[in-house]
Amino acid sequence: MALFEAHGLRKRFGARVVLENISLSVEAGSVHGIMGPNGAGKTTCFHVLTGHHAPDAGRILFEGRDITGLKPHRIARLGISRSFQIMNLFDDTVVIENVILALPEFRARSLNPVRDVFGDTVLIERALAVLDQVGLVHRAWEKAAALPYGERRALEIAVALAPEPRIVFLDEPTSGLGTEATRALANLIRALRRRYTIVMIEHDMRFLFDLADRISVIHWGQVIDEDTPEALKRNKW
C-alpha cells in the first residue's frame, strides 16, 4: 500500500475547473515529483493535497486513512508537512527560533516565545538537531533575515521538518536559487530522502529528473502521465 494516495480529485473556482480527475500514488521513502507548465494546476493540486483547499470531489489517503477535507493543522499533526513557493519565515528572530516555534513540544507547552524559549535546553537541543539535518547548525544564533537566499530555503525546509513528519511537500524549492545554491539543495534532498518521503513541485527539469523516483506530469488540470524520469525522457510528446 502506498504511503500517500489521491484518487479522482476535482477542484473548481466558480466556473473555472482547475483540477479534473487528479490521481497519484507516493511510495514510502521515495521522492515524487510534480511537473507541468505554468497554469497547469500544480500549486492548486499541492494546496488540495495538504488541506489548504478542500476538493470538490475525490479522496486523499494517508497511510490508508481518508484525510479528504481535513484542515491543514489536522493534516500536519498526522505527519504531513510542507514548504511554500513564497517563504514564510520570521525574519526578525534568530534562525533557531524559527525552528523552535514549529516543534511539537513548543506548541504542546504553550510557551511564551520571549520568556521561555531560550531557557529550555530540550527545545534548543531538538532545534539544533533539525538545523544539523539541513546544514545550518552553525547559523543557529544568527538573524534569519541575514541568511543568503539559498540558506533561507534550507531554513524553510528545517521548519517543515521540525514537526517530525512522515512526508514532506516542497513547493518549487529551487525558485530564485543560483547554480551553486541549487546544487547544495539537491545534495540536501538526497540526504533527507534517507529519513523522509518527499513530494515536490519543481520547474527545474534537470533538478527534478536527477532526484525523483517517479514524476506526475500535470497539464490542463489533469495528470497526463506518471512514470520514472527515464521513461518520461523517452516520451517525446
Side-chain angles (χ1 to χ4, degrees):
M1 180 177 65
L3 177 66
F4 188 94
E5 301 171 80
H7 300 282
L9 297 181
R10 190 172 192 269
K11 183 64 183 177
R12 65 186 300 162
F13 297 101
R16 180 168 169 251
V17 177
V18 182
L19 302 178
E20 182 66 49
N21 196 31
I22 291 281
S23 296
L24 55 85
S25 178
V26 181
E27 298 296 325
S30 68
V31 175
H32 191 104
I34 296 177
M35 61 177 272
N38 290 336
K42 303 186 300 298
T43 297
T44 299
C45 180
F46 241 45
H47 287 332
V48 171
L49 295 176
T50 55
H52 292 267
H53 293 320
D56 298 318
R59 300 172 68 218
I60 303 169
L61 304 177
F62 177 56
E63 296 183 309
R65 172 180 175 175
D66 193 330
I67 63 169
T68 311
L70 291 184
K71 297 297 184 183
H73 69 277
R74 292 189 60 192
I75 287 177
R77 287 173 186 164
L78 294 175
I80 299 172
S81 192
R82 69 164 292 179
S83 71
F84 292 84
Q85 186 174 0
I86 299 173
M87 284 185 282
N88 292 282
L89 298 174
F90 295 108
D91 282 338
D92 57 343
T93 66
V94 292
V95 167
I96 194 171
E97 194 169 356
N98 275 268
V99 178
I100 288 173
L101 294 174
L103 291 172
E105 296 93 331
F106 172 83
R107 299 179 181 229
R109 297 182 202 177
S110 300
L111 295 174
N112 181 309
V114 176
R115 186 185 64 215
D116 298 325
V117 161
F118 297 121
D120 191 314
T121 57
V122 173
L123 287 178
I124 290 174
E125 288 173 4
R126 282 273 295 109
L128 288 173
V130 175
L131 287 170
D132 189 46
Q133 290 183 59
V134 302
L136 288 180
V137 70
H138 64 295
R139 300 279 203 179
W141 302 103
E142 298 181 25
K143 281 279 191 180
L147 294 182
Y149 192 83
E151 291 187 345
R152 286 170 59 78
R153 280 288 178 193
L155 176 56
E156 191 190 26
I157 293 174
V159 171
L161 298 181
E164 299 182 334
R166 292 284 314 283
I167 184 169
V168 182
F169 286 76
L170 303 178
D171 189 355
E172 298 277 11
T174 70
S175 179
L177 297 185
T179 302
E180 288 303 317
T182 298
R183 185 177 296 116
L185 180 62
N187 290 334
L188 171 58
I189 291 175
R190 289 189 184 97
L192 293 177
R193 68 176 301 161
R194 300 174 193 147
R195 301 180 61 174
Y196 305 96
T197 301
I198 298 172
V199 180
M200 61 179 171
I201 296 175
E202 185 49 58
H203 66 278
D204 185 329
M205 293 299 97
R206 179 176 297 177
F207 180 89
L208 187 62
F209 276 61
D210 283 348
L211 291 170
D213 298 295
R214 293 186 70 82
I215 298 172
S216 295
V217 184
I218 295 181
H219 200 11
W220 306 295
Q222 303 175 66
V223 175
I224 61 172
D225 202 355
E226 181 184 313
D227 216 323
T228 64
E230 292 74 20
L232 290 176
K233 287 176 184 178
R234 295 193 295 268
N235 186 333
K236 294 181 180 180
W237 181 73

